[in-house]
Amino acid sequence: MYNRTEIKDVLAGGHLDKEITVCGWVRAFRSNRFIALFDGSDFNTLQVVIDDDFGNEDVLKKIHFHACVKATGKLVESQGAGQKYELIANDIEVLGEANPDEYGLQPKAMTMEYLREKAHFRMRTSTFSAVFRIRHAIAYGIHKFYNDRGYYYMHSPIITGSDAEGAGEMFQVTTLNMGDMPKNEEGGVDYSKDFFAKHTNLTVSGQLQAEIGALALGKVYTFGPTFRAENSNTSRHLSEFWMIEPEVAFNDIYDNMDLAEEFCKYLINYVLDNYADDVAFLDQRIEKMERNMPKEKRRPMGLLDTLKFVVENDFERITYTQAINILRNSKPFKKGKFEFEPTWGSDMQAEHERFLVEKKFKKPVIVRDYPQSFKAFYMRENDADESVPGTTVAAMDVLFPGIGELIGGSQREERIDVLKRRVEAMGIDEEELWWYLELRKFGGAPHAGFGLGFERMVQFITGIQNIRDVIPFPRTPGSAHF
RNA sequence: GCUUCCUUAGCUCAGUUGGUUAGAGCAUCUGACUGUUAAUCAGAGGGUCCAAGGUUCAAGUCCUUGAGGAAGCGCCA
């Protein structure tokens, strides 16, 4: 419409001494003359210098923080330090004013909590624009990773008729009148009158359907939104989040771990290779933020160094049984520093996982072969092992520093008799899972997969503390604004 | 769901043992300056101290309840 040149292209060179038009928003306006302009295409801003002959005071008065501006002029080599090029503008038009008395944002440090209330504007800040460019990069990297390796992207349903996905509380989907629900003979809600003629929910996982894909297309992955109605109030949980779930026929738990590690490293490398400016900015931002903090509160390594370290080193791989032994022989346990005692048969607490990842190994850790007692029904039962106190399953968790469980996965139980026994033992209605059981009855195969929390990966790569700040519009208990 | 903490100017925050007229920086506005990079200098305006109730001669400060927010735990990705 304006025949504009994007700032990313301007900064890439090739427009020197040419007349161009740029459009964007004002990040800074100095000396009534210098505009730092961004248009989202690049982390860096373009300096627009208002030509000495430009005499329109009315226009200059409208140039405020985050006002939208169109500028035309000649691109020259910059006279000042700090940037290579600048645009000497002889024509400036304010496309959208931003009255600073009413606009909520300012060219200064604002807290993440404040910006969360301004979610419709926060993407304009340096921090959030960097975060959301990186979020895009990771999403793209996910598709590229799997496509390059011959996986098929599969869409699992968002509305599910299954009550047995086994991953937490669900949000109900209904078109029934909440004030006047039709009743069945037992006095409960008659869901045969509902839109789908049955009880339906938003999905908590696409895994069970992904298994259908794996046993037909071989290698598939899902990447979609999932919904959990858990009353979780932490900086690592969302009620609506995105999950990547690869599912692979003929993979066992070890193949699964290899895939998980390769996948994580690929995504980090993809961002480092393609969005270095954004990562560098976030790295410096954290450094500045932590400069005034006491040493024990600072992160042991900068963001950039952490990412490089994860990419360059093998993940530690241990069994749950080994993990418990390490914890019981650890200094914190012997000195009574743990709030919870690590015992075989109970799930590891956050403090235990943090000790393994951040103190003992100081890198990502994959824990496998968990006790069957607290794991899902579909995880493959391991053969009995005399050196292990009880029955275990071929489950794995990938634990990352700072964010805990990034990935949870397993080899799936392909033996129908074992699976039926597990379904019954956990009190799940077999009828609910008829199709899942038939997958084993007809043409079944060993297979494995995992779920990676997309926002947790974005959190790790951007170094952002609260998961609510790596998704454009966070949904958490008691909060669904915008 | 549980525990702890926070809420003072547009924003980020001080505010001592309960004591006179609640302060600073940034932002805004006015003026000066004009190659700036967190520009600089001078001046001005800007307050329901989250809400309600209570204690007290006196409450931003102490107590109770509520609202909103955060951190940690549990659940998980």
Side-chain angles (χ1 to χ4, degrees), chain A residues 10-193:
Chain A
V10 177
L11 297 176
H15 295 276
L16 196 60
D17 296 324
K18 287 182 185 150
E19 171 112 347
I20 57 170
T21 295
V22 294
C23 296
W25 295 268
V26 176
R27 176 144 294 145
F29 187 36
R30 289 181 283 268
S31 300
N32 217 26
R33 188 159 183 220
F34 302 96
I35 303 171
L37 198 72
F38 69 93
D39 67 1
S41 62
D42 196 87
F43 171 77
N44 295 290
T45 54
L46 175 69
Q47 171 149 284
V48 174
V49 184
I50 295 164
D51 195 283
D52 293 328
D53 299 334
F54 186 81
N56 195 330
E57 288 290 324
D58 290 340
V59 170
L60 294 186
K61 284 196 174 183
K62 289 177 184 170
I63 300 174
H64 290 113
F65 182 66
H66 284 185
C68 186
V69 164
K70 170 171 161 279
T72 302
K74 197 167 130 185
L75 191 75
V76 301
E77 282 186 37
S78 180
Q79 295 175 38
Q83 61 280 316
K84 195 171 177 190
Y85 304 112
E86 63 188 22
L87 185 77
I88 307 296
N90 48 43
D91 182 34
I92 301 227
E93 192 182 328
V94 175
L95 299 176
E97 295 181 48
N99 182 345
D101 287 333
E102 296 166 28
Y103 187 56
L105 272 53
Q106 298 176 15
K108 65 182 299 258
M110 292 166 283
T111 60
M112 299 299 261
E113 291 79 24
Y114 177 72
L115 289 169
R116 219 170 282 152
E117 295 169 11
K118 311 275 181 191
H120 54 321
F121 294 135
R122 68 177 181 169
M123 281 192 188
R124 295 175 180 177
T125 64
S126 306
T127 298
F128 281 97
S129 63
V131 166
F132 289 119
R133 273 189 294 269
I134 290 173
R135 183 183 166 103
H136 157 80
I138 299 169
Y140 179 75
I142 287 161
H143 288 300
K144 185 164 165 49
F145 176 85
Y146 287 114
N147 183 66
D148 289 354
R149 283 158 184 75
Y151 285 66
Y152 297 106
Y153 177 33
M154 172 177 163
H155 293 105
S156 50
I158 288 166
I159 298 171
T160 176
S162 170
D163 275 333
E165 287 175 356
E169 289 295 308
M170 302 177 102
F171 288 101
Q172 187 179 333
V173 175
T174 183
T175 54
L176 293 175
N177 181 350
M178 305 295 253
D180 183 23
M181 301 287 252
K183 297 282 164 57
N184 57 24
E185 285 172 7
E186 291 90 49
V189 176
D190 182 3
Y191 285 109
S192 70
K193 299 277 193 326

Side-chain angles (χ1 to χ4, degrees), chain A residues 435-448:
Chain A
W435 53 269
Y436 191 75
L437 293 165
E438 284 203 350
L439 276 182
R440 275 74 182 164
K441 194 171 170 187
F442 304 107
H447 59 288

Side-chain angles (χ1 to χ4, degrees), chain A residues 415-427:
Chain A
R415 298 161 296 188
I416 190 159
D417 51 327
V418 181
L419 185 60
K420 276 189 172 174
R421 170 161 55 79
R422 293 303 303 152
V423 167
E424 192 188 346
M426 300 193 78

Side-chain angles (χ1 to χ4, degrees), chain A residues 197-438:
Chain A
K198 67 178 296 193
H199 184 240
T200 51
N201 293 304
L202 293 178
T203 183
V204 294
S205 163
Q207 178 204 311
L208 303 189
Q209 290 91 351
E211 290 184 48
I212 293 174
L215 297 184
L217 297 171
K219 294 182 290 187
V220 301
Y221 68 104
T222 71
F223 181 16
T226 47
F227 308 87
R228 305 225 176 140
E230 301 287 347
N231 191 7
S232 298
N233 295 288
T234 81
S235 55
R236 306 180 304 282
H237 289 88
L238 291 165
S239 308
E240 175 184 302
F241 66 100
W242 289 62
M243 189 152 62
I244 301 98
E245 296 177 287
E247 196 69 38
V248 187
F250 318 115
N251 263 14
D252 64 13
I253 187 75
Y254 300 97
D255 302 320
N256 209 29
M257 291 190 290
D258 290 343
L259 178 66
E261 181 166 348
E262 188 193 0
F263 182 40
C264 290
K265 288 177 172 175
Y266 179 91
L267 294 179
I268 295 167
N269 269 327
Y270 184 80
V271 173
L272 288 175
D273 289 346
N274 294 284
Y275 290 81
D277 285 345
D278 291 292
V279 175
F281 171 78
L282 293 169
D283 180 55
Q284 285 157 23
R285 177 181 172 276
I286 291 166
E287 198 210 307
K288 276 181 203 160
M289 219 167 53
E290 296 192 343
R291 202 170 285 165
N292 299 322
M293 290 165 72
K295 260 201 180 130
E296 63 273 15
K297 283 204 159 184
R298 289 184 215 166
R299 303 176 198 198
M301 247 191 269
L303 175 64
L304 197 53
D305 290 338
T306 302
L307 296 178
K308 284 181 179 164
F309 182 83
V310 167
V311 163
E312 287 164 5
N313 289 278
D314 289 341
F315 293 7
E316 192 68 34
R317 299 185 184 194
I318 56 173
T319 65
Y320 166 86
T321 304
Q322 287 169 331
I324 295 296
N325 284 336
I326 290 167
L327 290 165
R328 294 190 70 84
N329 288 315
S330 70
K331 271 188 196 163
F333 176 61
K334 287 179 174 167
K335 289 184 179 172
K337 291 273 173 67
F338 284 144
E339 192 186 337
F340 300 93
E341 182 180 346
T343 53
W344 202 100
S346 56
D347 206 353
M348 279 194 285
Q349 305 291 313
E351 59 179 348
H352 303 148
E353 295 182 347
R354 211 175 307 122
F355 171 79
L356 292 172
V357 173
E358 290 162 22
K359 293 282 184 319
K360 172 77 182 171
F361 296 114
K362 296 188 168 67
K363 57 175 167 177
V365 177
I366 307 180
V367 183
R368 69 171 187 277
D369 297 340
Y370 283 87
Q372 189 176 56
S373 54
F374 57 81
K375 286 292 182 181
F377 71 92
Y378 50 74
M379 296 182 173
R380 193 178 193 278
E381 191 172 287
N382 286 325
D383 295 340
D385 181 346
E386 282 179 9
S387 67
V388 173
T391 306
T392 61
V393 290
M396 59 165 223
D397 282 356
V398 180
L399 310 175
F400 260 54
I403 53 176
E405 189 180 339
L406 178 70
I407 286 176
S410 68
Q411 185 173 339
R412 318 307 186 187
E413 184 58 76
E414 82 280 11
R415 298 161 296 188
I416 190 159
D417 51 327
V418 181
L419 185 60
K420 276 189 172 174
R421 170 161 55 79
R422 293 303 303 152
V423 167
E424 192 188 346
M426 300 193 78
I428 300 165
D429 184 4
E430 245 186 59
E431 287 298 301
E432 285 281 338
L433 291 165
W434 66 271
W435 53 269
Y436 191 75
L437 293 165
E438 284 203 350

